Each structure stands twice: as structure tokens, then as C-alpha cells.
Amino acid sequence: MKYAESFKGSKNLDRLQELCSIFEVEKNKLVEELSLGNKKKIAIIQALINEPKLLILDEPTNGLDPLMQKKLFDILLQENKKGTTIFFSSHNLMEVQRFCHRVAIIREGSIVEVKRVEELLGANSVKVKFSSGDSLEKLLNLGGVSNTFREEKFISFLFNGDINMLIKELGRINLSDLRIEEPALEDTFMSYYDREEK
């Protein structure tokens, strides 16, 4: 950590001590003696110690317990507010949805989309449980219905059309359960893969 701190030429022992305290680092152990999670914490401290203007993190929460993940994102949000640009890759789309402003979707090594998170989540996720005899043809032919999945008495889809028309068509069906919510980023992410496979 002292070696990483020396890159900038000016030492900030208070910053080093603060980061070690936040991430609960055992400073007297050799790196080879540390677990994966503790090695990850050392790497994060090395990345943060000199307060860079640009941070590039690859799967930063891998190996961290939930408490440490929260502490990491608290620190990253503070750094971002101070003007630091942060790029990070992650397979955990829930943390991407929660903490990122913009998302790049990569497929087979190429960027296929770059948008603000709220733009990617423009559609609503609709989940319906219905009586087996109900006709769903009108509902599924509404403008804005996509990514339909049906199984017995359940159907789910993304909806990006006139919400009034959706409610009108749902009113014609004998519903047992209905959920309309903001979709998970995972649903939107998978739609890019589904599109290309068709």
C-alpha cells in the first residue's frame, strides 16, 4: 500500500489509515496470507489511495461480503461526487442498476448499446396470473408488448406502450394476481441477446 501511495509522490497517511479502517484491513499480514476478499480490499485501497480522477474497476465486489460491498459503494459514491469518473465491469446487474448512471452492454467483445440506466429501463415489467380459459390475444397484441414469456396460468412481458390501454385489456381478464413494476436491468440486458438470436 505504501508502494502504491508513492506513485503520486505526496504521502497522505491519514487517507491510508482511513481506508484501512473502513475496509478493516489487517496491515501486519503478508498479502499471500490473505483470503480472496482481503486481497480484494487491499487492491481497492491501492486504487483509491491517491484520489484518482479516473477509476477503472473489474468486478470490484467479487469476493467481498455484503457489508464490505456496501462500504465500497459508499466510498465510490463519495468519490464520484468529488468528480471522479468510475468505470466498472460487473456481472451483478442489480448493483449496476442501483449505482451506475450509464451502462454499456457488451456482446461478444463489442459494445452494442450505451445508455443512461433510466433509458434502458423505459419499459414496465408486467406479471399476470389468470384463469386458464382467458383469451390473452388482445393483450399480447397491444403496441409496446415485448419479451413475452408464458407458462400455464402465468404470463410476463415488458410493456412500453399506453398504460391506459394495458389497464383496459387487463380489466377483461379474470386475474388472480398482477404485478406492474420497473423491470430489472437483467430483463433489458437479456432482451439484447434475444434480439440477436432471432
Side-chain angles (χ1 to χ4, degrees), residues 20-173:
C20 287
S21 176
I22 289 169
F23 289 106
E24 301 173 14
V25 168
E26 298 177 72
K27 293 183 286 184
N28 297 323
K29 283 193 173 181
L30 296 173
V31 171
E32 64 191 27
E33 298 172 350
L34 299 175
S35 66
L36 171 64
N38 283 314
K39 286 177 182 176
K40 180 62 66 96
K41 291 190 282 187
I42 297 294
I44 289 166
I45 291 170
Q46 288 176 314
L48 292 168
I49 196 165
N50 289 315
E51 301 181 280
K53 295 295 179 194
L54 172 65
L55 265 175
I56 301 174
L57 305 171
D58 182 23
E59 301 282 352
T61 57
N62 184 31
L64 297 181
D65 65 50
L67 178 61
M68 284 300 144
Q69 290 178 24
K70 182 185 182 312
K71 289 183 176 185
L72 170 63
F73 281 110
D74 287 346
I75 290 276
L76 293 180
L77 289 170
Q78 288 173 22
E79 295 303 306
N80 184 243
K81 283 179 184 173
K82 290 193 283 188
T84 302
T85 298
I86 302 168
F87 286 101
F88 82 90
S89 67
S90 179
H91 288 90
N92 184 336
L93 298 182
M94 289 188 70
E95 68 187 20
V96 172
Q97 181 172 344
R98 188 171 173 196
F99 294 106
C100 293
H101 301 128
R102 292 171 64 85
V103 175
I105 295 176
I106 299 172
R107 183 184 168 117
E108 296 177 358
S110 297
I111 294 176
V112 295
E113 189 72 85
V114 179
K115 283 188 176 178
R116 294 189 66 79
V117 171
E118 58 267 24
E119 291 177 291
L120 282 172
L121 299 176
N124 288 305
S125 174
V126 181
K127 295 174 183 169
V128 175
K129 184 177 180 183
F130 56 93
S131 296
S132 56
D134 286 327
S135 172
L136 303 176
E137 189 175 336
K138 277 189 167 183
L139 175 65
L140 297 180
N141 286 326
L142 281 176
V145 171
S146 64
N147 293 70
T148 304
F149 175 78
R150 183 171 179 174
E151 185 177 0
E152 295 182 3
K153 297 180 182 180
F154 294 88
I155 190 163
S156 65
F157 54 89
L158 295 179
F159 185 72
N160 195 18
D162 183 342
I163 194 72
N164 295 300
M165 293 301 294
L166 174 64
I167 298 301
K168 183 177 176 182
E169 289 306 321
L170 288 170
R172 299 174 199 263
I173 300 168

Side-chain angles (χ1 to χ4, degrees), residues 6-21:
S6 72
F7 293 168
K8 198 170 180 181
S10 60
K11 293 186 177 180
N12 186 343
L13 295 176
D14 290 340
R15 170 85 170 164
L16 175 56
Q17 186 58 43
E18 177 191 19
L19 291 171
C20 287
S21 176

